[in-house]
């Protein structure tokens, strides 16, 4: 797989970076956080106008027909700017789940609206017992005539604040497996509770108590939603990993600049060999993480579902831990100023901590990798 950017991809990267550098400044982001907002409608409209929301959507349904590489490019630049708008939740997780699992009619109706930013859909799949993974699912959708009645709870729903529709994973009694349902955000019986995360972003907890939807609200076919859910989560995992690469890049750049200007004993602290070694360690961790991201994207393009999931788990584990290390070192090398809310480097560490827990923690993915290896060893020794 060739990871050299095409001319179109280079233009895409340049356009997103210009927006981050000139419009989405640390001060502008801070103003959003102080206002308790999960982003700006104006910024979301700008994302749509620039084609960033439609980059990886199929051309037949209003998209640009791009690939996962385009998604990773956008996410990486958003990571550099600590973008709080729900790109990951709405434009990647929910959108790619819809692409993978929706019927032709559902995609024709919903994807063009997603592409232009007039509709936001969030993926409500996570439950306390699932720890950010696709399974298990305990939310029930019982049949009542020609309708489904939902009972249960979803947690950590990314992109839920401001969403118009939710894709909800559920268990349907007469259809073994996971069923995905499209649920309007204003459905009676659905209670939403917004929760702030440590990095300033927002999620929602959804409680379904008799919320009812029509039979045609099923995304695809009853009991056949696991593959689509896994496809959406796979794209989301790659996007989140790319975002963390961007965060590491920016942390290293800021830290290197600080070491060039901060003085002790009449010299810049960047001249101290011990600090140079720590910067080298940060750069090495970032490059290993970048290679792992490339491996994950190559696996998405070439491998079977089982191998792909194992590689994605390894990538999420390694990149999440690397980001916490790099951003944490950035704080230490800045000294006391790195701990203040007014300085940017601490915010990158907060994002790294939160991102490590989203879509399955590094510990959860490590356990998943270990389980696959154990199963393989048992099979070879049987």
């Amino acid at each position: 797989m060739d990871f050299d950017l095409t001319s179109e991809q280079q233009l895409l990267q340049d356009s997103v970076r210009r927006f981050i550098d000139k419009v989405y400044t640390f001060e502008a982001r801070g103003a959003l956080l102080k206002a308790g907002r999960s982003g700006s409608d104006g910024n979301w409209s700008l994302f749509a106008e620039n084609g960033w929301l439609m980059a990886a959507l199929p051309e037949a349904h209003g998209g640009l027909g791009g690939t996962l590489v385009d998604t990773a490019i956008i996410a990486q630049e958003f990571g550099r700017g600590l973008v709080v708008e729900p790109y990951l939740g709405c434009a990647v997780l929910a959108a790619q789940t819809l692409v993978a699992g929706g019927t032709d009619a559902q995609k024709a109706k919903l994807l063009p609206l997603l592409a232009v930013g007039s509709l936001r859909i969030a993926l409500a799949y996570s439950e306390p017992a699932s720890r950010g993974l696709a399974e298990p699912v305990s939310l029930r959708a019982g049949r009542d005539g020609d309708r489904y009645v939902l009972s249960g709870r979803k947690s950590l729903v990314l992109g839920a604040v401001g969403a118009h529709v939710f894709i909800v994973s559920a268990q349907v009694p007469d259809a073994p497996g996971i069923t995905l349902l499209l649920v309007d955000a204003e459905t009676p019986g659905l209670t939403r509770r917004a929760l702030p995360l440590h990095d300033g972003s927002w999620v929602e907890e959804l409680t379904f108590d008799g919320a009812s939807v029509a039979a045609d609200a099923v995304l695809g076919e009853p009991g056949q939603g696991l593959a689509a859910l896994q496809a959406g989560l796979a794209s989301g995992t790659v996007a989140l990993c790319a975002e963390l690469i961007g965060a590491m890049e920016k942390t290293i750049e800021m830290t290197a600049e600080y070491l060039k200007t901060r003085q002790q004993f009449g010299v810049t602290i960047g001249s101290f060999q011990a600090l140079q070694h720590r910067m080298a360690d940060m750069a090495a961790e970032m490059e290993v993480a970048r290679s792992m991201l490339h491996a994950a994207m190559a696996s998405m393009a070439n491998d079977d579902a089982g191998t792909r999931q194992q590689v994605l788990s390894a990538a999420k584990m390694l990149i999440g831990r690397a980001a916490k290390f790099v951003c944490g070192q950035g704080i230490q090398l800045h000294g006391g100023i790195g701990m203040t809310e007014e300085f940017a480097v601490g915010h990158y560490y907060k994002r790294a901590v939160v991102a490590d827990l989203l879509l399955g923690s590094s510990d959860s993915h490590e356990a998943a990798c270990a389980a696959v290896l154990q199963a393989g060893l048992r099979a070879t020794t049987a």
Side-chain angles (χ1 to χ4, degrees), residues 17-334:
R17 186 166 297 190
R18 280 196 302 271
F19 168 77
I20 296 299
D21 292 342
K22 296 181 179 180
V23 179
Y24 210 93
T25 61
F26 179 68
E27 292 73 23
R29 176 185 181 272
L32 289 175
L33 297 185
K34 287 180 181 178
R37 299 172 61 189
S38 59
S40 159
D41 290 340
N43 286 336
W44 193 254
S45 297
L46 188 58
F47 293 177
E49 290 171 9
N50 283 306
W52 302 339
L53 302 183
M54 64 179 72
L57 297 181
E59 290 183 89
H61 300 298
L64 297 178
T67 67
L68 187 60
V69 175
D70 299 282
T71 297
I73 289 170
I74 296 168
Q76 183 171 326
E77 297 306 315
F78 281 178
R80 291 176 62 90
L82 293 176
V83 168
V84 295
E85 277 73 13
Y87 176 76
L88 174 63
C90 297
V92 183
L93 285 171
Q96 292 304 317
T97 301
L98 178 57
V99 168
T103 64
D104 289 340
Q106 289 168 335
K107 289 187 282 190
K109 176 183 178 182
L110 299 174
L111 288 178
L113 300 177
L114 289 177
V116 299
S118 61
L119 177 71
R120 296 192 195 182
I121 302 178
L123 178 63
Y125 80 97
S126 181
E127 299 180 3
S130 71
R131 299 183 180 274
L133 303 180
E135 298 178 288
V137 174
S138 62
L139 187 141
R140 308 289 290 179
R143 291 300 296 263
D144 182 10
D146 61 350
R147 301 185 68 82
Y148 290 96
V149 180
L150 282 67
S151 299
R153 183 161 65 95
K154 294 294 182 181
S155 58
L156 284 176
V157 182
L158 299 173
V161 178
H164 306 99
V165 177
F166 296 106
I167 299 175
V168 181
S169 60
Q171 292 285 347
V172 176
D174 58 353
I178 292 177
T179 298
L180 300 179
L181 298 162
L182 293 165
V183 181
D184 191 275
E186 303 301 322
T187 300
L190 168 58
T191 302
R192 302 166 60 182
R193 183 162 72 104
L195 301 170
L197 299 182
H198 186 54
D199 62 347
S201 61
W202 288 76
V203 296
E204 282 189 355
E205 180 181 89
L206 308 182
T207 302
F208 298 86
D209 185 11
S212 138
V213 296
D216 62 2
V218 173
L219 188 69
E221 297 295 331
Q224 303 299 312
L226 179 59
L229 178 57
Q230 289 175 331
L233 292 177
S235 293
T237 299
V238 169
L240 185 57
C241 289
E243 180 189 332
L244 290 176
I245 298 297
M248 284 187 271
E249 285 180 350
K250 189 64 176 180
T251 296
I252 289 174
E253 290 172 12
M254 288 189 302
T255 305
E257 185 62 31
Y258 182 76
L259 296 184
K260 292 176 183 177
T261 57
R262 179 73 168 90
Q263 290 194 349
Q264 285 184 352
F265 312 113
V267 296
T268 58
I269 61 176
S271 64
F272 300 158
Q273 191 175 56
L275 301 190
Q276 293 173 5
H277 290 170
R278 292 175 72 171
M279 285 293 297
D281 289 342
M282 292 164 65
E285 285 289 326
M286 181 186 69
E287 291 306 324
V288 171
R290 193 193 309 275
S291 296
M292 195 68 227
L293 173 63
H294 290 173
M297 289 194 288
S299 183
M300 286 284 289
N302 301 309
D303 292 337
D304 60 82
T307 303
R308 182 171 63 238
Q309 186 56 55
Q310 187 177 6
V311 174
L312 286 173
S313 287
K316 180 62 167 63
M317 174 186 67
L318 187 148
I319 295 172
R321 291 174 177 173
K324 288 197 295 183
F325 170 79
V326 170
C327 297
Q329 288 293 305
I331 292 178
Q332 291 196 25
L333 291 177
H334 277 82

